[in-house]
């Protein structure tokens, strides 16, 4: 019989590895340069028959796995949206993994349930979220949005879809800028992608609310059932912020569920000067934001707020005999608050991060990122070969090589595709792209936990040397 490995004899190796990783992170190439199948060809086809030494596993970690990692915690990583971590979050994740609790109901870990409840209270205070809303931790925004959409579906069908199947003709509305996870959620929940209506946007990328109202009225006349409106607070393409107050008003008028996707930018509401981002949330039905994107809490950790938690519970509650407890009704059994039965102890890392930084410490980091972005934009403006596309917002901007006189859009796009490739091939920074009005542009998000001005100066140097 195999004995439990002596934790103390090996923990030093692991802690040393983690510490070396953080210390040497900036010397590593940000984006992995391996080719398809490079990793798998180094891995044995069959598992080992006998026990292997931890030292050998760590050696292979360094030799095989690490070269195939794109380092999302690198301070020169400015692509996509960050999935930023922190030392404090790693501490908590370590402890969470050791405890290994399955936090499906209060009985299976009372502290996990009650800490999660209190963390949601803290967020309500930190972000001025209405007192009547209740929060729950999910894994990702994709899952949280799917859950909200299923609740909207159930409510509009008088909670019959879970029993009888989804009736045809339900409609969901979003702007053309909304995240692709919405398309997936509409498909998965049975409403169907053909019933996702993409509303035109204004010049700034925000949903055109009058077009929304017009389309809802048209659908009602044609026999469709408006079911849910999804507004964006910080869209992926250009960080557009929909007018959620007006959208909430339209949703209330036509008795349509209103879900707010604030996955990335919702964190900015921790700053008092940006509380207006969520103006109108008091009449919305649900809202999602990701602490694992811009609040220094490692992936995965998403928060879903609901105006009426009973609608969420009614949608997802199933009570087999083995889950019946004497405390039911007195406590939060979070397995009824979403799709999975099994739940990780994610509240612990929020507790560590918020306590370690303090609310003011979190605000200081957010403001620093915003200031660094402004510094970056100002520097770009000084180069005549570059142009800012759209309006820089918060810690986000888009830019490109400016089109030359007489150059058509296709040629400008090809030029910028090559430009981005040249930038990323340096291995010194990592950026990603999007399209705005079919113009290929390069996105820059300055949101890494430990990013400083020296890293932005490095980014500027790489950009200028790549022209």
């Amino acid at each position: 019989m195999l004995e439990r490995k002596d934790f103390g004899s090996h923990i030093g190796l692991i802690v040393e590895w983690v510490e070396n990783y953080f210390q040497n992170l900036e010397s590593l190439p940000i984006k992995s340069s391996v080719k398809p199948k490079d990793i798998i060809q180094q891995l044995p086809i069959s598992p080992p028959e006998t026990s292997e030494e931890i030292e050998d596993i760590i050696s292979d970690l360094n030799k095989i796995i690490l070269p195939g990692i794109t380092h999302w915690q690198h301070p020169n990583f400015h692509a996509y949206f960050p999935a930023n971590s922190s030392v404090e979050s790693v501490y908590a994740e370590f402890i969470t993994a050791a405890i290994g609790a399955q936090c499906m109901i209060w009985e299976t870990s009372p502290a996990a349930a009650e800490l999660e409840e209190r963390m949601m209270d803290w967020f309500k205070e930190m972000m001025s979220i209405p007192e009547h809303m209740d929060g729950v931790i999910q894994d990702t925004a994709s899952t949280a949005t799917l859950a909200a959409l299923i609740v909207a579906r159930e409510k509009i069908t008088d909670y019959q879809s879970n029993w009888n199947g989804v009736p045809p003709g339900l409609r969901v509305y979003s702007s053309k800028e909304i995240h692709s996870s919405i398309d997936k959620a509409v498909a998965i929940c049975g409403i169907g992608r053909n019933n996702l209506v993409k509303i035109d946007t204004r010049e700034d990328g925000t949903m055109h609310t009058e077009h929304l109202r017009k389309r809802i009225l048209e659908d009602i006349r044609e026999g469709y059932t408006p079911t849910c409106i999804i507004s964006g607070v910080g869209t992926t393409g250009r960080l557009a912020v929909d007018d959620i107050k007006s959208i909430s008003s339209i949703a209330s008028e036509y008795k349509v569920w209103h879900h707010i996707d604030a996955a990335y930018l919702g964190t900015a509401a921790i700053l008092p000067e940006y509380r207006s981002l969520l103006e109108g949330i008091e009449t919305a039905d649900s809202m999602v934001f990701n602490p694992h994107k811009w609040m220094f809490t490692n992936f995965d950790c998403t928060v879903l707020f609901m105006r009426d938690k009973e609608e969420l519970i009614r949608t997802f509650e199933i009570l087999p005999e083995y889950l019946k407890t004497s405390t039911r009704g007195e406590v939060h059994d979070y397995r009824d608050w979403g799709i999975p039965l099994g739940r990780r102890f994610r509240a612990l890392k929020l507790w560590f991060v918020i306590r370690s930084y303090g609310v003011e410490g979190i605000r200081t980091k957010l403001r620093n990122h915003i200031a660094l972005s402004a510094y970056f934009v100002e520097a770009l403006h000084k180069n005549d070969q570059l142009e800012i596309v759209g309006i820089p917002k918060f810690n986000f901007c888009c830019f490109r090589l400016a089109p030359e006189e007489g150059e058509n859009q296709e040629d400008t796009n090809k030029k910028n595709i090559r430009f981005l490739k040249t930038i990323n091939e340096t291995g010194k920074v990592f950026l990603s792209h999007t399209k705005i009005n079919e113009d290929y542009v390069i996105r820059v998000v300055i949101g890494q936990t430990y990013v400083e001005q020296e890293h932005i100066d490095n980014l500027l140097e790489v950009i200028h040397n790549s022209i």
Side-chain angles (χ1 to χ4, degrees):
M1 180 177 177
L2 286 175
E3 297 292 331
R4 174 178 64 82
K5 291 190 183 294
D6 182 59
F7 190 76
S9 66
H10 294 106
I11 187 59
L13 291 173
I14 304 301
V15 171
E16 182 182 6
W17 190 95
V18 173
E19 175 63 14
N20 285 338
Y21 179 74
F22 276 117
Q23 291 292 338
N24 299 320
L25 187 55
E26 290 191 48
S27 67
L28 297 173
I30 303 171
K31 189 176 185 297
S32 172
S33 60
V34 302
K35 296 179 174 58
K37 304 297 183 183
D38 276 358
I39 304 299
I40 199 168
Q41 287 171 0
Q42 298 180 72
L43 301 172
I45 294 174
S46 301
E49 287 293 333
T50 58
S51 173
E52 297 187 5
E53 295 297 325
I54 295 295
E55 290 84 353
D56 293 334
I57 299 171
I58 293 175
S59 176
D60 284 344
L61 168 66
N62 292 327
K63 183 176 68 177
I64 301 172
I65 304 302
L66 205 58
I69 297 294
T70 293
H71 300 286
W72 283 69
Q73 304 314 313
H74 200 296
N76 292 313
F77 182 106
H78 308 294
Y80 309 111
F81 283 134
N84 56 14
S85 186
S86 63
V87 170
E88 294 82 357
S89 184
V90 172
Y91 291 160
E93 196 67 75
F94 204 123
I95 295 168
T96 298
I99 293 172
Q102 214 284 39
C103 307
M104 53 188 175
I105 57 177
W106 184 90
E107 293 279 355
T108 60
S109 273
E114 296 191 15
L115 183 61
E116 182 166 342
E117 183 178 357
R118 181 60 75 218
M119 291 304 96
M120 300 302 97
D121 291 338
W122 282 10
F123 275 128
K124 286 197 288 187
E125 181 175 332
M126 290 164 64
M127 303 169 71
S128 291
I129 291 172
E131 187 59 36
H132 66 264
M133 298 189 85
D134 290 283
V136 57
I137 301 175
Q138 308 278 348
D139 53 6
T140 65
S142 297
T143 302
T145 296
L146 174 60
L149 198 53
I150 292 172
V151 179
R153 182 198 73 190
E154 288 307 294
K155 186 175 182 180
I156 203 72
T157 62
D158 196 25
Y159 298 90
Q160 294 303 303
S161 295
N162 276 343
W163 296 95
N164 303 318
V166 183
L170 304 185
R171 289 288 211 191
V172 176
Y173 308 86
S174 73
S175 85
K176 291 181 177 180
E177 298 269 339
I178 208 69
H179 193 268
S180 60
S181 63
I182 308 304
D183 299 69
K184 183 181 286 189
V186 170
I188 292 171
C189 78
I191 292 175
R193 288 184 182 175
N194 287 338
N195 288 308
L196 174 58
V197 180
K198 299 286 185 76
I199 304 299
D200 290 334
T201 56
R202 299 185 180 90
E203 185 64 28
D204 62 358
T206 61
M207 186 191 298
H208 205 302
T209 52
E210 286 309 307
H211 290 194
L212 170 66
R213 182 190 299 276
K214 180 180 178 182
R215 190 57 192 268
I216 288 174
L217 288 170
E218 288 175 358
D219 281 350
I220 292 172
R221 285 194 296 267
E222 293 176 12
Y224 291 103
T225 304
T227 301
C228 181
I229 304 168
I230 300 174
S231 58
V233 174
T235 58
T236 303
R238 46 180 149 170
L239 223 63
V241 178
D242 289 334
D243 182 352
I244 63 173
K245 187 173 184 179
S246 295
I247 293 171
S248 281
S249 178
I250 293 171
S252 298
E253 182 179 351
Y254 295 102
K255 296 180 172 55
V256 179
W257 188 280
H258 180 202
H259 175 69
I260 300 170
D261 178 3
Y264 177 67
L265 196 54
T267 300
I270 295 172
L271 298 172
E273 60 266 35
Y274 292 121
R275 292 278 165 77
S276 60
L277 284 170
L278 298 180
E279 186 178 357
I281 190 177
E282 62 276 0
T283 55
D285 295 283
S286 53
M287 187 273 279
V288 62
F289 90 102
N290 291 342
H292 71 230
K293 276 195 168 73
W294 196 19
M295 212 198 81
F296 327 121
T297 306
N298 69 293
F299 187 85
D300 52 19
C301 186
T302 288
V303 173
L304 173 65
F305 278 101
M306 303 288 295
R307 180 165 64 167
D308 186 350
K309 69 178 185 292
E310 297 305 324
E311 295 172 335
L312 184 70
I313 294 169
R314 184 175 178 182
T315 297
F316 291 108
E317 179 183 49
I318 292 178
L319 189 59
E321 185 62 35
Y322 71 93
L323 290 179
K324 293 179 180 177
T325 64
S326 61
T327 58
R328 187 164 183 81
E330 300 177 35
V331 296
H332 288 341
D333 289 327
Y334 283 114
R335 60 130 188 145
D336 295 327
W337 292 48
I339 294 166
L341 170 63
R343 306 182 79 251
R344 297 182 67 244
F345 189 8
R346 295 183 180 91
L348 190 68
K349 55 191 175 185
L350 287 173
W351 193 51
F352 265 61
V353 169
I354 297 171
R355 289 189 65 188
S356 180
Y357 279 95
V359 178
E360 195 51 49
I362 294 171
R363 288 173 179 154
T364 297
K365 272 204 173 288
L366 297 179
R367 289 180 178 126
N368 182 52
H369 293 166
I370 294 169
L372 288 175
S373 185
Y375 171 80
F376 174 73
V377 170
E378 184 180 359
L380 287 188
H381 275 307
K382 296 176 182 177
N383 191 321
D384 292 338
Q385 293 174 277
L386 302 171
E387 71 173 2
I388 303 293
V389 182
I391 302 172
K393 299 172 184 174
F394 300 91
N395 61 335
F396 171 94
C397 75
C398 293
F399 75 99
R400 66 173 178 171
L401 284 172
E404 298 175 13
E405 186 175 351
E407 187 175 67
N408 62 39
Q409 185 181 55
E410 182 180 358
D411 287 340
T412 301
N413 284 349
K414 287 179 179 178
K415 178 173 68 176
N416 279 282
I417 291 171
R418 293 192 298 269
F419 182 41
L420 178 58
K421 183 179 180 183
T422 300
I423 291 171
N424 286 336
E425 283 181 346
T426 66
K428 296 179 179 179
V429 299
F430 184 34
L431 307 179
S432 57
H433 80 281
T434 190
K435 280 191 173 181
I436 297 178
N437 299 325
E438 295 307 310
D439 288 330
Y440 185 100
V441 298
I442 300 170
R443 300 168 73 257
V444 176
V445 183
I446 299 172
Q448 287 301 338
T449 306
Y450 304 114
V451 65
E452 300 292 348
Q453 184 174 320
E454 65 187 88
H455 303 114
I456 307 310
D457 289 334
N458 172 67
L459 172 59
L460 289 164
E461 181 180 358
V462 171
I463 289 170
H464 293 149
N465 289 342
S466 298
I467 295 175

